[in-house]
């Protein structure tokens, strides 16, 4: 089996590549840099330039499925121009794949695309599953809605569409956890706002396993890429501090302070989405890290 991965060099992409190779799945990947191209049979690189609508169509040779992760980071100040880049990097890259496949003979049968739980409205009380159909009015809600619509265009090519709505990814190699623990190392850790907002987290290893599970089991539709036990921001902060054996002395960080520091992007820290993993579990997927304590111990202990 050969899979084409976009965003293969990112945090989640690297873990998916590693797991594909351990299962004997060959990987082709798209990159914007010639210096990052490998010619190994199990890890073949191809160039693309989304802004110029250019892609080396030989990337689809021998490929049966696509794992689509490409998109500009949301962890950067949201200026108006950068907000446009966040959207276009997702929708335009998806459109380029669709348009290219329309024009060439290929054997692609399935796409498993990244998405995000930011589509669910901010709530301290609701427990969201994939049947919930009200979209968040936030910028992230808009991004995910446009992103998922773009991915649905693969259906017209008779390609099975699967989407994984990703929660807060925990990894020792970067992402949110690195930023959460940075102040803790100096004894300056604190929860955000009320600390009551829900954080639907997932260990990066389990997230990569979900992508490959959806791929191998050929599961169509939308799945939440979150662990079975969401926690509040206060709990997350406390577990991280306890794992690092660091005290938490500070009062919670007020919303207005983070708004000043981060601008509109501060909502990433304050929005609350309690999200269910039941659908993927009902399909037979078994999480390695069910509880936050075990995940933190593996990552920070």
């Amino acid at each position: 089996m050969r899979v084409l991965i976009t965003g293969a060099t990112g945090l989640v992409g690297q873990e998916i590549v590693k797991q594909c190779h351990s299962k004997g799945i060959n990987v082709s990947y798209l990159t914007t840099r010639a210096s990052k191209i490998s010619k190994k049979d199990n890890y073949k690189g191809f160039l693309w330039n989304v802004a110029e609508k250019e892609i080396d169509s030989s990337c689809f040779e021998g490929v049966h499925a696509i794992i689509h992760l490409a998109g500009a980071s949301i962890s950067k100040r949201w200026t108006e121009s950068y907000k446009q880049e966040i959207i276009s990097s997702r929708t335009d890259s998806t459109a380029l794949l669709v348009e290219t496949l329309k024009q060439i003979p290929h054997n692609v049968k399935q796409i498993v695309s990244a998405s995000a739980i930011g589509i669910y409205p901010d709530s301290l009380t609701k427990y969201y599953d994939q049947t919930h159909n009200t979209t968040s009015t936030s910028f992230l809600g808009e991004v995910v809605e446009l992103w998922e619509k773009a991915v649905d265009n693969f259906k017209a090519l008779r390609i099975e569409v699967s989407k994984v709505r990703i929660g807060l990814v925990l990894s020792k190699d970067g992402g949110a956890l690195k930023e959460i623990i940075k102040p803790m190392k100096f004894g300056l850790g604190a929860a955000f706002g009320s600390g009551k907002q829900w954080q639907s987290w997932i260990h990066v290893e389990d997230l990569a396993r979900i992508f490959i599970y959806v791929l191998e089991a050929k599961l169509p539709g939308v799945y939440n890429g979150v662990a079975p036990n969401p926690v509040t921001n206060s709990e997350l902060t406390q577990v991280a501090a306890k794992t690092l054996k660091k005290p938490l002395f500070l009062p919670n960080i007020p919303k207005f302070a983070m708004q000043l520091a981060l601008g509109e992007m501060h909502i990433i820290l304050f929005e609350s989405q309690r999200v269910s993993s039941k659908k993927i579990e009902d399909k037979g997927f078994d999480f390695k890290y069910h509880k936050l304590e075990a995940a933190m111990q593996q990552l920070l202990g």
Side-chain angles (χ1 to χ4, degrees), residues 38 52 83 94 190 207 227:
S38 154
E52 300 296 327
K83 279 164 83 169
T94 306
L207 180 60

Side-chain angles (χ1 to χ4, degrees), residues 25-254:
I25 298 170
N26 290 324
V27 172
S28 295
Y29 64 96
L30 285 160
T31 177
T32 55
R33 295 184 209 162
S35 61
K36 285 198 171 181
I37 287 181
S38 154
K39 292 294 180 193
K40 294 180 193 165
D41 190 53
N42 72 342
Y43 192 56
K44 275 188 191 169
F46 300 87
L47 279 174
W48 71 337
N49 183 327
V50 174
E52 300 296 327
K53 297 185 178 172
E54 294 170 353
I55 186 169
D56 180 351
S57 61
S58 59
C59 67
F60 294 108
E61 283 174 14
V63 167
H64 302 97
I66 300 167
I67 292 178
H68 184 31
L69 308 167
S73 169
I74 59 161
S75 302
K76 193 172 151 184
R77 189 175 268 272
W78 298 350
T79 60
E80 284 310 309
S81 62
Y82 192 65
K83 279 164 83 169
Q84 194 46 54
E85 191 181 326
I86 288 172
I87 293 171
S88 60
S89 64
R90 288 160 171 77
T91 56
D92 294 356
S93 62
T94 306
L96 182 56
L97 294 172
V98 171
E99 290 309 310
T100 308
L101 286 172
K102 275 182 188 172
Q103 293 161 27
I104 60 167
H106 64 85
N107 293 308
V108 178
K109 301 284 187 287
Q110 184 184 12
I111 179 162
V112 186
S113 177
S115 181
I117 63 168
I119 197 165
Y120 301 118
D122 177 26
S123 173
L124 292 174
T125 56
K126 290 196 170 80
Y127 191 28
Y128 293 114
D129 64 18
Q130 294 81 352
T131 60
H132 187 86
N133 53 17
T134 310
T135 301
S136 169
T137 55
S138 71
F139 170 64
L140 291 182
E142 179 194 354
V143 171
V144 182
E145 189 169 35
L146 292 169
W147 193 6
E148 291 196 356
K149 273 183 186 160
V151 175
D152 282 337
N153 289 327
F154 280 93
K155 291 176 183 173
L157 307 181
R158 295 184 179 173
I159 291 171
E160 198 80 82
V161 171
S162 313
K163 300 167 199 161
V164 179
R165 288 179 177 162
I166 300 172
L168 180 73
V169 182
L170 301 182
S171 163
K172 57 184 159 206
D173 299 320
L177 186 59
K178 198 175 175 184
E179 299 308 313
I180 290 165
I181 66 171
K182 213 180 267 179
M184 286 179 189
K185 291 181 174 176
F186 304 101
L188 300 172
F192 291 103
S194 69
K196 292 176 183 173
Q197 65 273 33
W198 288 99
Q199 313 252 235
S200 295
W201 61 276
I202 186 166
H203 190 297
V204 67
E205 196 182 319
D206 273 338
L207 180 60
R209 288 178 58 237
I210 286 177
F211 271 90
I212 295 170
Y213 191 83
V214 168
L215 183 80
E216 292 190 314
K218 297 183 172 61
L219 301 176
V222 180
Y223 296 87
N224 289 325
V226 296
N229 295 290
V231 294
T232 63
N233 181 260
S234 285
E235 289 173 287
L236 183 80
T237 311
Q238 285 161 14
V239 171
K242 190 178 171 188
T243 310
L244 289 168
K245 299 183 173 62
K246 295 288 182 185
L248 281 179
F249 292 129
L250 293 183
N252 290 9
I253 299 164

